[in-house]
C-alpha cells in the first residue's frame, strides 16, 4: 500500500519557498511508494512549473484565507486512514493545527522556511500550535535551532536544505555597457531593504557608470521608491519579480543581499554557483555559503560610506579572486533527488512511529 502524503499550501506565489515546493512535488511524485496529494487555494506565479501527471490535486473553493470554514473544507478531503499532512508555509500551519485536533489519524509535519520571527501574537501562537506537530523540517540550521531553543518537546526536528537547481541563463539581459548591480527579493523589513536603498542611492549618485536593478515587491516598496525617486528610470530600475531570474543573475555584475536574517537563501546559492561577485550581510546564513573569510561582508548596521568603498573594491576585484568556500559542497549534497529522498525517509519515519 502506498504512503499517503498531503501537501497543504495556499498557493505558488512569487517566493523561493513556493518554487522549492514545486521542485519537491515534481520529484516526489516519481516515487512509486508514495501517493502524493496537493491541497491548495490558488495557482499563482510558479504553478505552471508544477508537473501534475503524478499528483492528486484538491483545489479549495474559498472566499477568504481567514474563513474558519476552510478547515472543514480541507478536512472533507482528508481520508480516515493514517496520512501525513505537510503544511508548507506558515499560513498553512494554523489550518494543520486544527485539522490535527479534529482528525486523530493525521500525522502533521511542519515546514520551517525561516530562522527568526518578531515577538508578536501571531508568531507566539504559532509556537504554541507547533507543539502538536509530529515533526518539523527546517531548511537551515538556524531555523532548526529556533525550534530547539523554544523547547518543543516530543516534536522531532530535522534539517533538510533546499534543493539546488542549476539554471544558467543567457548573459545578455543587460546591454547598456554599464556595471549592473542586482537586488532580487522581497521588499520587506527582514531584508534590510530600507537601509540597503539608502546606501545604494548614495552609491549611484556619485557613480554614473553604475545601474541598479531591484526585482521584487513588498510592503516597503513605496518607501524604497521614495528613496530612489531622483534616479528611477535613469540609473535605478524597479521591477516585479521575474520568472527568468536566471538570465538576470547570469548577466549581473554584482549581486547584493543585506538581509538581517534568512532561512536558506536561494538567490545567494544561485549567484555563488554562477561565480558572481556578491556583497552580503555578515550573517551565518550567508557565511554558510561563502565562508567566514569572505571579504565582502557587511554588518547589519553598516556604515554607508565604508560600504560604498567596499562595493568599489568588489567591483574592481578580479573575478578569479572571488571564492565561495562551501558552494561546491552544497551543489553536491543538495541535488533534487537527494533532497527528495531525505523528505521521503522522514515521511516513512513519521508513519512508522505512528504504528509503534
Amino acid at each position: 500500500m502506498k504512503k499517503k502524503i498531503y501537501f497543504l499550501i495556499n498557493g505558488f506565489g512569487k517566493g523561493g519557498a513556493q518554487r522549492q515546493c514545486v521542485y519537491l512535488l515534481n520529484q516526489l511524485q516519481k516515487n512509486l511508494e508514495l501517493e502524493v496529494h496537493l491541497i491548495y487555494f490558488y495557482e499563482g506565479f510558479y504553478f505552471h512549473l508544477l508537473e501534475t501527471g503524478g499528483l492528486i490535486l484538491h483545489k479549495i473553493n474559498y472566499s477568504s484565507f481567514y474563513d474558519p470554514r476552510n478547515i472543514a473544507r480541507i478536512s472533507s478531503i482528508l481520508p480516515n486512514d493514517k496520512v501525513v499532512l505537510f503544511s508548507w508555509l506558515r499560513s498553512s500551519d494554523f489550518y494543520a493545527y486544527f485539522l490535527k485536533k479534529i482528525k486523530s489519524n493525521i500525522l502533521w509535519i511542519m515546514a520551517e522556511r525561516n530562522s527568526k520571527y518578531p515577538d508578536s501574537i501571531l508568531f507566539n501562537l504559532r509556537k504554541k500550535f507547533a507543539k502538536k506537530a509530529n515533526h518539523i523540517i527546517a531548511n537551515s540550521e538556524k531555523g532548526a535551532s529556533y525550534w530547539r531553543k523554544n523547547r518543543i518537546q516530543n516534536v522531532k526536528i530535522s534539517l533538510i536544505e533546499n534543493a539546488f537547481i542549476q539554471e544558467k541563463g543567457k548573459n545578455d539581459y543587460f546591454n547598456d555597457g554599464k556595471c549592473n548591480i542586482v537586488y532580487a527579493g522581497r521588499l520587506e523589513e527582514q531584508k534590510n531593504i530600507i537601509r540597503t536603498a539608502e546606501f545604494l542611492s548614495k552609491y549611484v549618485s556619485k557613480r554614473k557608470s553604475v545601474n541598479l536593478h531591484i526585482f521584487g515587491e513588498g510592503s516597503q516598496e513605496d518607501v524604497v521608491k521614495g528613496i530612489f525617486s531622483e534616479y528611477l528610470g535613469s540609473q535605478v530600475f524597479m521591477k516585479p519579480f521575474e520568472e527568468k531570474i536566471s538570465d538576470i543573475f547570469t548577466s549581473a555584475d554584482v549581486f547584493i543581499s543585506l538581509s538581517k536574517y534568512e532561512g536558506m537563501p536561494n538567490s545567494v546559492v544561485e549567484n555563488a554557483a554562477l561565480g558572481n561577485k556578491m556583497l552580503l550581510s555578515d550573517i551565518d546564513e550567508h557565511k554558510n555559503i561563502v565562508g567566514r573569510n569572505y571579504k565582502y561582508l557587511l554588518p547589519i548596521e553598516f556604515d554607508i560610506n565604508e560600504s560604498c568603498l567596499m562595493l568599489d573594491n568588489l567591483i574592481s576585484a578580479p573575478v578569479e579572486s572571488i571564492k565561495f568556500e562551501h558552494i561546491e559542497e552544497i551543489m553536491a549534497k543538495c541535488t533534487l533527488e537527494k533532497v527528495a529522498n531525505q523528505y521521503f525517509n522522514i515521511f516513512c519515519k513519521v508513519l512508522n512511529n505512528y504504528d509503534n
Side-chain angles (χ1 to χ4, degrees):
M1 181 179 293
K2 290 188 176 184
K3 300 171 176 64
K4 296 180 180 179
I5 312 298
Y6 285 74
F7 275 69
L8 177 60
I9 186 171
N10 280 3
F12 297 94
K14 299 178 181 179
Q18 290 89 331
R19 184 168 56 142
Q20 282 288 315
C21 189
V22 168
Y23 291 152
L24 183 58
L25 285 166
N26 287 348
Q27 186 66 30
L28 286 174
Q29 63 186 279
K30 299 175 185 177
N31 189 322
L32 299 180
E33 295 184 52
L34 291 179
E35 179 181 296
V36 185
H37 295 249
L38 172 63
I39 304 174
Y40 67 104
F41 291 81
Y42 66 93
E43 281 81 14
F45 188 75
Y46 282 118
F47 187 81
H48 72 283
L49 298 178
L50 186 65
E51 298 169 7
T52 58
L55 284 179
I56 301 172
L57 301 177
H58 308 274
K59 186 175 182 180
I60 302 296
N61 184 18
Y62 75 105
S63 57
S64 167
F65 291 133
Y66 303 101
D67 187 344
R69 291 176 296 180
N70 292 336
I71 299 170
R73 290 166 180 146
I74 298 170
S75 179
S76 68
I77 294 168
L78 298 170
N80 292 322
D81 53 337
K82 62 179 179 180
V83 296
V84 169
L85 179 63
F86 194 174
S87 58
W88 188 257
L89 293 176
R90 295 190 301 269
S91 53
S92 299
D93 298 338
F94 292 90
Y95 288 135
Y97 167 78
F98 288 106
L99 290 162
K100 169 97 171 162
K101 290 178 72 70
I102 292 169
K103 298 176 78 77
S104 60
N105 63 301
I106 287 177
L107 303 169
W108 174 25
I109 297 178
M110 189 175 85
E112 179 53 72
R113 313 296 303 177
N114 213 326
S115 61
K116 184 178 178 181
Y117 297 99
D119 184 13
S120 69
I121 293 175
L122 180 66
F123 293 113
N124 289 333
L125 190 60
R126 181 173 179 255
K127 286 182 188 178
K128 292 183 178 181
F129 283 4
K131 295 176 182 179
K132 295 296 182 182
N134 296 87
H135 209 111
I136 297 174
I137 303 177
N139 71 336
S140 68
E141 179 54 45
K142 274 204 167 182
S145 297
Y146 170 81
W147 289 108
R148 295 189 193 107
K149 291 175 183 177
N150 282 295
R151 297 184 175 89
I152 304 295
Q153 297 179 353
N154 302 319
V155 180
K156 178 70 174 176
I157 301 167
S158 297
L159 167 63
I160 302 179
E161 294 177 340
N162 288 344
F164 173 71
I165 309 296
Q166 180 73 60
E167 293 183 358
K168 184 172 177 61
K170 300 175 182 177
N171 63 357
D172 58 355
Y173 189 91
F174 308 116
N175 54 11
D176 49 25
K178 294 192 173 185
C179 175
N180 288 285
I181 298 172
V182 168
Y183 168 90
R186 291 178 290 114
L187 306 182
E188 300 289 350
E189 191 269 341
Q190 170 192 343
K191 302 295 186 178
N192 207 13
I193 190 61
I194 300 301
R195 187 65 173 167
T196 300
E198 291 170 344
F199 151 48
L200 292 173
S201 176
K202 180 170 183 178
Y203 189 82
V204 299
S205 71
K206 299 182 181 300
R207 295 159 179 85
K208 300 305 179 184
S209 62
V210 171
N211 279 348
L212 171 65
H213 305 266
I214 307 250
F215 295 92
E217 300 162 82
S219 62
Q220 296 187 325
E221 183 173 346
D222 289 341
V223 179
V224 173
K225 284 182 177 177
I227 294 170
F228 287 128
S229 59
E230 186 177 346
Y231 310 103
L232 285 175
S234 57
Q235 282 183 271
V236 178
F237 304 89
M238 294 185 64
K239 300 178 182 178
F241 188 82
E242 293 196 14
E243 183 184 340
K244 280 292 185 181
I245 198 69
S246 57
D247 289 349
I248 295 163
F249 289 163
T250 303
S251 304
D253 294 293
V254 176
F255 177 77
I256 287 188
S257 176
L258 302 178
S259 302
K260 295 180 179 180
Y261 55 92
E262 288 282 355
M264 177 68 173
N266 295 328
S267 58
V268 174
V269 173
E270 291 169 31
N271 277 276
L274 291 168
N276 284 351
K277 297 179 180 182
M278 294 192 289
L279 183 66
L280 305 172
S281 52
D282 188 2
I283 59 176
D284 287 341
E285 298 92 315
H286 288 157
K287 289 185 285 190
N288 289 340
I289 299 166
V290 301
R292 299 188 175 275
N293 296 318
Y294 185 66
K295 293 181 180 180
Y296 305 103
L297 297 170
L298 288 173
I300 292 171
E301 299 295 333
F302 56 83
D303 178 86
I304 287 180
N305 290 326
E306 291 178 3
S307 302
C308 288
L309 291 174
M310 182 180 285
L311 184 51
D312 278 339
N313 292 336
L314 174 60
I315 290 171
S316 62
V319 173
E320 57 271 17
S321 71
I322 306 299
K323 304 294 182 183
F324 306 118
E325 196 169 317
H326 305 297
I327 188 58
E328 290 186 5
E329 175 190 349
I330 291 170
M331 292 169 65
K333 74 178 182 179
C334 292
T335 66
L336 182 54
E337 293 79 5
K338 289 179 181 179
V339 168
N341 193 53
Q342 291 179 69
Y343 277 100
F344 173 70
N345 290 337
I346 289 178
F347 297 156
C348 293
K349 288 178 183 178
V350 170
L351 288 163
N352 291 338
N353 287 339
Y354 179 94
D355 289 335
N356 297 330

